mmCIF file of all heavy atoms in Angstrom:
data_model
loop_
_atom_site.group_PDB
_atom_site.id
_atom_site.type_symbol
_atom_site.label_atom_id
_atom_site.label_comp_id
_atom_site.label_asym_id
_atom_site.label_seq_id
_atom_site.Cartn_x
_atom_site.Cartn_y
_atom_site.Cartn_z
ATOM 1 N N ARG A 9 33.022 11.524 -5.802
ATOM 2 C CA ARG A 9 31.886 11.133 -6.636
ATOM 3 C C ARG A 9 30.899 10.313 -5.823
ATOM 4 O O ARG A 9 31.286 9.439 -5.048
ATOM 5 C CB ARG A 9 32.366 10.284 -7.818
ATOM 6 C CG ARG A 9 33.003 11.108 -8.916
ATOM 7 C CD ARG A 9 33.531 10.206 -9.986
ATOM 8 N NE ARG A 9 34.522 9.290 -9.445
ATOM 9 C CZ ARG A 9 34.994 8.235 -10.110
ATOM 10 N NH1 ARG A 9 34.533 7.948 -11.292
ATOM 11 N NH2 ARG A 9 35.903 7.451 -9.563
ATOM 12 N N SER A 10 29.620 10.605 -5.979
ATOM 13 C CA SER A 10 28.652 9.832 -5.217
ATOM 14 C C SER A 10 28.154 8.661 -6.066
ATOM 15 O O SER A 10 28.283 8.659 -7.286
ATOM 16 C CB SER A 10 27.487 10.719 -4.802
ATOM 17 O OG SER A 10 27.200 11.623 -5.823
ATOM 18 N N ILE A 11 27.591 7.681 -5.368
ATOM 19 C CA ILE A 11 27.114 6.483 -6.057
ATOM 20 C C ILE A 11 25.727 6.736 -6.614
ATOM 21 O O ILE A 11 24.860 7.255 -5.905
ATOM 22 C CB ILE A 11 27.094 5.300 -5.078
ATOM 23 C CG1 ILE A 11 28.526 4.946 -4.722
ATOM 24 C CG2 ILE A 11 26.354 4.106 -5.674
ATOM 25 C CD1 ILE A 11 28.643 3.875 -3.694
ATOM 26 N N ARG A 12 25.518 6.368 -7.857
ATOM 27 C CA ARG A 12 24.207 6.584 -8.460
ATOM 28 C C ARG A 12 23.362 5.329 -8.336
ATOM 29 O O ARG A 12 23.790 4.250 -8.716
ATOM 30 C CB ARG A 12 24.346 6.935 -9.931
ATOM 31 C CG ARG A 12 24.854 8.334 -10.123
ATOM 32 C CD ARG A 12 24.501 8.860 -11.475
ATOM 33 N NE ARG A 12 24.860 10.280 -11.488
ATOM 34 C CZ ARG A 12 24.365 11.143 -12.344
ATOM 35 N NH1 ARG A 12 23.499 10.761 -13.239
ATOM 36 N NH2 ARG A 12 24.728 12.405 -12.288
ATOM 37 N N ILE A 13 22.183 5.511 -7.805
ATOM 38 C CA ILE A 13 21.247 4.392 -7.731
ATOM 39 C C ILE A 13 19.986 4.835 -8.444
ATOM 40 O O ILE A 13 19.442 5.894 -8.160
ATOM 41 C CB ILE A 13 20.925 4.035 -6.267
ATOM 42 C CG1 ILE A 13 22.218 3.777 -5.519
ATOM 43 C CG2 ILE A 13 20.004 2.844 -6.206
ATOM 44 C CD1 ILE A 13 22.041 3.628 -4.033
ATOM 45 N N LYS A 14 19.562 4.034 -9.402
ATOM 46 C CA LYS A 14 18.405 4.437 -10.179
ATOM 47 C C LYS A 14 17.364 3.340 -10.213
ATOM 48 O O LYS A 14 17.680 2.178 -10.019
ATOM 49 C CB LYS A 14 18.822 4.743 -11.621
ATOM 50 C CG LYS A 14 19.660 5.991 -11.754
ATOM 51 C CD LYS A 14 20.048 6.188 -13.175
ATOM 52 C CE LYS A 14 20.978 7.385 -13.292
ATOM 53 N NZ LYS A 14 21.467 7.545 -14.649
ATOM 54 N N GLY A 15 16.137 3.730 -10.492
ATOM 55 C CA GLY A 15 15.086 2.750 -10.716
ATOM 56 C C GLY A 15 14.850 2.655 -12.209
ATOM 57 O O GLY A 15 15.053 3.613 -12.947
ATOM 58 N N ARG A 16 14.490 1.479 -12.681
ATOM 59 C CA ARG A 16 14.199 1.336 -14.090
ATOM 60 C C ARG A 16 13.168 0.218 -14.216
ATOM 61 O O ARG A 16 13.249 -0.770 -13.510
ATOM 62 C CB ARG A 16 15.472 0.964 -14.831
ATOM 63 C CG ARG A 16 15.351 1.080 -16.324
ATOM 64 C CD ARG A 16 16.713 1.165 -16.968
ATOM 65 N NE ARG A 16 17.399 2.408 -16.599
ATOM 66 C CZ ARG A 16 18.645 2.682 -16.973
ATOM 67 N NH1 ARG A 16 19.341 1.826 -17.673
ATOM 68 N NH2 ARG A 16 19.206 3.818 -16.622
ATOM 69 N N ILE A 174 8.638 8.156 -4.955
ATOM 70 C CA ILE A 174 9.631 8.015 -6.022
ATOM 71 C C ILE A 174 8.939 8.355 -7.338
ATOM 72 O O ILE A 174 7.924 7.752 -7.678
ATOM 73 C CB ILE A 174 10.177 6.569 -6.067
ATOM 74 C CG1 ILE A 174 10.794 6.211 -4.714
ATOM 75 C CG2 ILE A 174 11.195 6.408 -7.184
ATOM 76 C CD1 ILE A 174 11.194 4.760 -4.591
ATOM 77 N N ALA A 175 9.473 9.339 -8.050
ATOM 78 C CA ALA A 175 8.839 9.766 -9.295
ATOM 79 C C ALA A 175 9.863 9.796 -10.422
ATOM 80 O O ALA A 175 11.040 10.084 -10.190
ATOM 81 C CB ALA A 175 8.222 11.152 -9.111
ATOM 82 N N ARG A 188 10.996 10.432 2.602
ATOM 83 C CA ARG A 188 11.970 10.474 1.514
ATOM 84 C C ARG A 188 11.305 10.887 0.220
ATOM 85 O O ARG A 188 10.170 10.497 -0.045
ATOM 86 C CB ARG A 188 12.520 9.066 1.264
ATOM 87 C CG ARG A 188 13.216 8.488 2.428
ATOM 88 C CD ARG A 188 13.474 7.033 2.120
ATOM 89 N NE ARG A 188 14.489 6.540 3.021
ATOM 90 C CZ ARG A 188 15.312 5.550 2.721
ATOM 91 N NH1 ARG A 188 15.229 4.945 1.559
ATOM 92 N NH2 ARG A 188 16.201 5.153 3.585
ATOM 93 N N ALA A 189 12.025 11.649 -0.577
ATOM 94 C CA ALA A 189 11.515 11.992 -1.904
ATOM 95 C C ALA A 189 12.630 11.764 -2.911
ATOM 96 O O ALA A 189 13.752 12.228 -2.714
ATOM 97 C CB ALA A 189 11.064 13.446 -1.921
ATOM 98 N N MET A 190 12.337 11.007 -3.943
ATOM 99 C CA MET A 190 13.331 10.755 -4.982
ATOM 100 C C MET A 190 12.718 11.118 -6.331
ATOM 101 O O MET A 190 11.811 10.444 -6.818
ATOM 102 C CB MET A 190 13.714 9.279 -4.977
ATOM 103 C CG MET A 190 14.271 8.833 -3.630
ATOM 104 S SD MET A 190 14.619 7.101 -3.630
ATOM 105 C CE MET A 190 14.701 6.813 -1.874
ATOM 106 N N ALA A 191 13.243 12.168 -6.922
ATOM 107 C CA ALA A 191 12.719 12.631 -8.202
ATOM 108 C C ALA A 191 13.660 12.196 -9.327
ATOM 109 O O ALA A 191 14.818 11.852 -9.073
ATOM 110 C CB ALA A 191 12.586 14.150 -8.184
ATOM 111 N N GLY A 192 13.145 12.194 -10.536
ATOM 112 C CA GLY A 192 13.972 11.830 -11.689
ATOM 113 C C GLY A 192 14.568 10.440 -11.582
ATOM 114 O O GLY A 192 15.702 10.203 -11.977
ATOM 115 N N SER A 193 13.776 9.502 -11.044
ATOM 116 C CA SER A 193 14.334 8.188 -10.707
ATOM 117 C C SER A 193 14.751 7.385 -11.928
ATOM 118 O O SER A 193 15.512 6.438 -11.810
ATOM 119 C CB SER A 193 13.325 7.398 -9.891
ATOM 120 O OG SER A 193 12.216 7.085 -10.704
ATOM 121 N N ILE A 194 14.228 7.730 -13.106
ATOM 122 C CA ILE A 194 14.637 6.950 -14.267
ATOM 123 C C ILE A 194 15.639 7.738 -15.105
ATOM 124 O O ILE A 194 15.785 7.535 -16.300
ATOM 125 C CB ILE A 194 13.433 6.490 -15.114
ATOM 126 C CG1 ILE A 194 12.517 7.668 -15.412
ATOM 127 C CG2 ILE A 194 12.658 5.390 -14.434
ATOM 128 C CD1 ILE A 194 11.495 7.380 -16.485
ATOM 129 N N GLY A 195 16.343 8.618 -14.457
ATOM 130 C CA GLY A 195 17.420 9.311 -15.139
ATOM 131 C C GLY A 195 17.003 10.631 -15.741
ATOM 132 O O GLY A 195 17.261 10.903 -16.905
ATOM 133 N N ASN A 196 16.314 11.447 -14.952
ATOM 134 C CA ASN A 196 15.925 12.758 -15.439
ATOM 135 C C ASN A 196 16.531 13.823 -14.531
ATOM 136 O O ASN A 196 16.002 14.126 -13.472
ATOM 137 C CB ASN A 196 14.391 12.840 -15.469
ATOM 138 C CG ASN A 196 13.921 14.158 -16.019
ATOM 139 O OD1 ASN A 196 14.718 15.027 -16.363
ATOM 140 N ND2 ASN A 196 12.612 14.312 -16.098
ATOM 141 N N LEU A 210 15.524 12.160 3.584
ATOM 142 C CA LEU A 210 16.453 12.006 2.470
ATOM 143 C C LEU A 210 15.808 12.543 1.202
ATOM 144 O O LEU A 210 14.617 12.362 0.994
ATOM 145 C CB LEU A 210 16.740 10.509 2.317
ATOM 146 C CG LEU A 210 17.789 10.076 1.302
ATOM 147 C CD1 LEU A 210 18.659 9.026 1.938
ATOM 148 C CD2 LEU A 210 17.118 9.489 0.090
ATOM 149 N N VAL A 211 16.598 13.212 0.392
ATOM 150 C CA VAL A 211 16.093 13.621 -0.920
ATOM 151 C C VAL A 211 17.062 13.126 -1.989
ATOM 152 O O VAL A 211 18.256 12.983 -1.737
ATOM 153 C CB VAL A 211 15.939 15.158 -1.053
ATOM 154 C CG1 VAL A 211 14.768 15.661 -0.249
ATOM 155 C CG2 VAL A 211 17.208 15.884 -0.659
ATOM 156 N N ALA A 212 16.548 12.839 -3.161
ATOM 157 C CA ALA A 212 17.406 12.395 -4.257
ATOM 158 C C ALA A 212 16.847 12.909 -5.566
ATOM 159 O O ALA A 212 15.623 12.985 -5.745
ATOM 160 C CB ALA A 212 17.486 10.881 -4.282
ATOM 161 N N ILE A 213 17.736 13.306 -6.463
ATOM 162 C CA ILE A 213 17.328 13.654 -7.827
ATOM 163 C C ILE A 213 18.267 12.920 -8.775
ATOM 164 O O ILE A 213 19.499 13.017 -8.604
ATOM 165 C CB ILE A 213 17.397 15.182 -8.066
ATOM 166 C CG1 ILE A 213 16.439 15.918 -7.119
ATOM 167 C CG2 ILE A 213 17.034 15.508 -9.519
ATOM 168 C CD1 ILE A 213 16.561 17.424 -7.153
ATOM 169 N N ASP A 214 17.692 12.188 -9.704
ATOM 170 C CA ASP A 214 18.476 11.442 -10.686
ATOM 171 C C ASP A 214 19.571 10.605 -10.007
ATOM 172 O O ASP A 214 20.709 10.541 -10.464
ATOM 173 C CB ASP A 214 19.101 12.422 -11.703
ATOM 174 C CG ASP A 214 19.742 11.676 -12.869
ATOM 175 O OD1 ASP A 214 19.420 10.495 -13.054
ATOM 176 O OD2 ASP A 214 20.573 12.284 -13.562
ATOM 177 N N GLY A 215 19.238 9.990 -8.902
ATOM 178 C CA GLY A 215 20.190 9.092 -8.260
ATOM 179 C C GLY A 215 21.204 9.757 -7.352
ATOM 180 O O GLY A 215 21.973 9.094 -6.680
ATOM 181 N N ILE A 216 21.241 11.093 -7.302
ATOM 182 C CA ILE A 216 22.154 11.780 -6.385
ATOM 183 C C ILE A 216 21.418 12.026 -5.070
ATOM 184 O O ILE A 216 20.350 12.622 -5.070
ATOM 185 C CB ILE A 216 22.622 13.137 -6.972
ATOM 186 C CG1 ILE A 216 23.234 12.952 -8.348
ATOM 187 C CG2 ILE A 216 23.570 13.827 -6.012
ATOM 188 C CD1 ILE A 216 24.614 12.391 -8.347
ATOM 189 N N TYR A 217 22.003 11.561 -3.985
ATOM 190 C CA TYR A 217 21.322 11.616 -2.699
ATOM 191 C C TYR A 217 21.850 12.743 -1.823
ATOM 192 O O TYR A 217 22.991 13.144 -1.935
ATOM 193 C CB TYR A 217 21.541 10.306 -1.934
ATOM 194 C CG TYR A 217 20.683 9.187 -2.427
ATOM 195 C CD1 TYR A 217 20.837 8.679 -3.699
ATOM 196 C CD2 TYR A 217 19.700 8.644 -1.610
ATOM 197 C CE1 TYR A 217 20.050 7.655 -4.164
ATOM 198 C CE2 TYR A 217 18.912 7.617 -2.065
ATOM 199 C CZ TYR A 217 19.078 7.124 -3.338
ATOM 200 O OH TYR A 217 18.291 6.116 -3.782
ATOM 201 N N LYS A 218 21.004 13.209 -0.933
ATOM 202 C CA LYS A 218 21.465 14.140 0.081
ATOM 203 C C LYS A 218 20.654 13.947 1.361
ATOM 204 O O LYS A 218 19.439 13.787 1.303
ATOM 205 C CB LYS A 218 21.318 15.582 -0.421
ATOM 206 C CG LYS A 218 22.147 16.565 0.390
ATOM 207 C CD LYS A 218 22.373 17.835 -0.412
ATOM 208 C CE LYS A 218 23.334 18.746 0.326
ATOM 209 N NZ LYS A 218 23.727 19.894 -0.480
ATOM 210 N N LEU A 236 19.082 19.869 -9.314
ATOM 211 C CA LEU A 236 20.399 19.279 -9.492
ATOM 212 C C LEU A 236 21.280 20.225 -10.300
ATOM 213 O O LEU A 236 20.892 20.697 -11.358
ATOM 214 C CB LEU A 236 20.236 17.947 -10.225
ATOM 215 C CG LEU A 236 21.330 16.902 -10.035
ATOM 216 C CD1 LEU A 236 21.494 16.561 -8.562
ATOM 217 C CD2 LEU A 236 20.975 15.652 -10.814
ATOM 218 N N ASP A 239 26.638 17.455 -10.181
ATOM 219 C CA ASP A 239 26.478 16.281 -9.334
ATOM 220 C C ASP A 239 26.104 16.642 -7.904
ATOM 221 O O ASP A 239 26.295 15.843 -6.995
ATOM 222 C CB ASP A 239 27.771 15.457 -9.338
ATOM 223 C CG ASP A 239 27.669 14.289 -10.314
ATOM 224 O OD1 ASP A 239 26.604 14.164 -10.947
ATOM 225 O OD2 ASP A 239 28.637 13.534 -10.437
#
Side-chain angles (χ1 to χ4, degrees):
Chain A
R9 283 176 301 168
S10 37
I11 292 176
R12 286 202 172 200
I13 305 171
K14 291 178 184 175
R16 192 161 294 176
I174 302 172
R188 299 170 163 208
M190 302 177 198
S193 67
I194 50 167
N196 182 359
L210 186 136
V211 287
I213 298 173
D214 189 18
I216 305 284
Y217 282 65
K218 197 160 187 172
L236 204 58
D239 261 0

